[in-house]
């Protein structure tokens, strides 16, 4: 990679060659997600690269006797379960990892239609979800439409469950529209653990 690109390599949705997204289906989230995962492990990641030669990534992680303050709220996985809706497999895994890291168990689906089925199944088992995370843009039913469908279910849990949007960009107009259809909050992708913790502390008793 060109040295001028290195300061941006861990930013979401940035690529040195934007044409790669068309050829390989990449969205520019991979390195941002990697950085999130490393930082969740109290680590750091750096990169050295020379154009036409190669790149070296260095990850430093403390695996024992971590000095990082344990001030985040821990949730009981037996009491808090989330449904994550996202058609991007990498983003789906990243969100799940961040949630599971604070004790929230997850089910994941790739579309709004699958989400409604999952909610019906869990409700029938008397194990309703406590949270829903939904991607803003999806091919079959976007985040707004999925939220409307969930809120329209004839059940108390569907009307009250916190629904959090996952989005690359949250413009004021988007936030206003989402609140109007029943969403409770927005989180940028890739999900930042610190922002997630503060959001959940406000939504979960």
């Amino acid at each position: 990679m060109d040295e001028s690109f290195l300061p941006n390599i861990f930013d979401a949705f940035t690529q040195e060659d934007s044409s790669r997204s068309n050829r390989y289906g990449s969205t520019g989230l991979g390195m941002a997600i990697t950085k999130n995962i490393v930082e969740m492990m109290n680590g750091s990641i750096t990169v050295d690269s020379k154009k036409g030669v190669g790149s070296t990534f260095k990850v430093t992680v403390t695996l024992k006797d971590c000095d990082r303050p344990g001030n985040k709220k821990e949730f009981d996985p037996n009491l808090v379960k989330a449904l994550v809706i996202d058609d991007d497999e990498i983003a789906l895994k990243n969100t799940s990892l961040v949630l599971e890291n604070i004790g929230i168990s997850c089910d994941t689906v790739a579309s709004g239609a699958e989400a409604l089925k999952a909610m019906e199944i869990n409700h029938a088992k008397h194990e309703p979800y406590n949270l829903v995370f939904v991607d803003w843009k999806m091919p079959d039913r976007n985040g707004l439409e999925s939220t409307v469908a969930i809120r329209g279910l004839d059940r108390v849990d569907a009307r009250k469950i916190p629904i959090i949007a996952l989005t690359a960009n949250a413009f004021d107009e988007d936030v206003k529209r989402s609140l109007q259809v029943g969403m409770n909050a927005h989180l940028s992708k890739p999900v930042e653990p610190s922002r997630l913790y503060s959001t959940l502390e406000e939504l979960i008793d």
Side-chain angles (χ1 to χ4, degrees):
M1 292 174 287
D2 193 286
E3 289 186 7
S4 63
F5 178 70
L6 296 184
N8 307 108
I9 190 172
F10 296 111
D11 295 340
F13 303 100
T14 58
Q15 297 177 332
E16 184 178 24
D17 179 3
S18 60
S19 66
R20 288 176 60 86
S21 62
N22 291 327
R23 284 184 286 161
Y24 304 112
S26 172
T27 59
L29 274 174
M31 294 312 305
I33 289 173
T34 300
K35 184 172 183 287
N36 266 2
I37 293 172
V38 171
E39 290 181 345
M40 283 194 309
M41 299 171 67
N42 193 38
S44 62
I45 182 170
T46 58
V47 58
D48 291 314
S49 184
K50 185 171 291 187
K51 191 78 170 181
V53 177
S55 304
T56 301
F57 290 85
K58 181 179 179 181
V59 175
T60 303
V61 179
T62 301
L63 297 178
K64 192 175 182 181
D65 297 329
C66 175
D67 294 328
R68 189 172 189 171
N71 58 1
K72 68 178 183 291
K73 181 175 181 178
E74 296 288 345
F75 298 94
D76 186 342
N78 295 315
L79 299 177
V80 182
K81 187 172 184 178
L83 176 64
V84 185
I85 314 164
D86 199 323
D87 63 314
D88 185 322
E89 185 177 354
I90 296 176
L92 198 64
K93 289 180 179 179
N94 178 63
T95 303
S96 300
L97 180 64
V98 174
L99 288 169
E100 290 167 357
N101 190 54
I102 56 171
I104 295 178
S105 61
C106 299
D107 284 345
T108 61
V109 294
S111 70
E114 291 178 55
L116 292 178
K117 291 180 182 178
M119 292 191 72
E120 291 291 350
I121 291 172
N122 271 46
H123 183 263
K125 294 190 299 184
H126 303 288
E127 299 175 0
Y129 293 107
N130 307 101
L131 291 164
V132 172
F133 293 83
V134 59
D135 184 27
W136 185 262
K137 287 187 176 181
M138 291 184 292
D140 74 320
R141 183 182 281 158
N142 65 31
L144 291 175
E145 294 167 336
S146 296
T147 299
V148 170
I150 291 171
R151 294 300 189 212
L153 295 175
D154 189 22
R155 301 203 311 263
V156 173
D157 64 298
R159 293 193 293 271
K160 293 186 175 181
I161 188 171
I163 300 178
I164 301 168
L166 302 174
T167 177
N169 298 296
F171 299 106
D172 290 342
E173 184 62 30
D174 293 336
V175 173
K176 181 178 179 180
R177 289 172 61 204
S178 67
L179 294 175
Q180 289 173 341
V181 301
M183 285 185 177
N184 300 88
H186 277 79
L187 290 176
S188 297
K189 294 171 64 175
V191 175
E192 296 180 6
S194 59
R195 178 73 186 279
L196 171 68
Y197 304 149
S198 60
T199 299
L200 294 186
E201 285 176 341
E202 294 176 1
L203 296 177
I204 299 179
D205 295 331

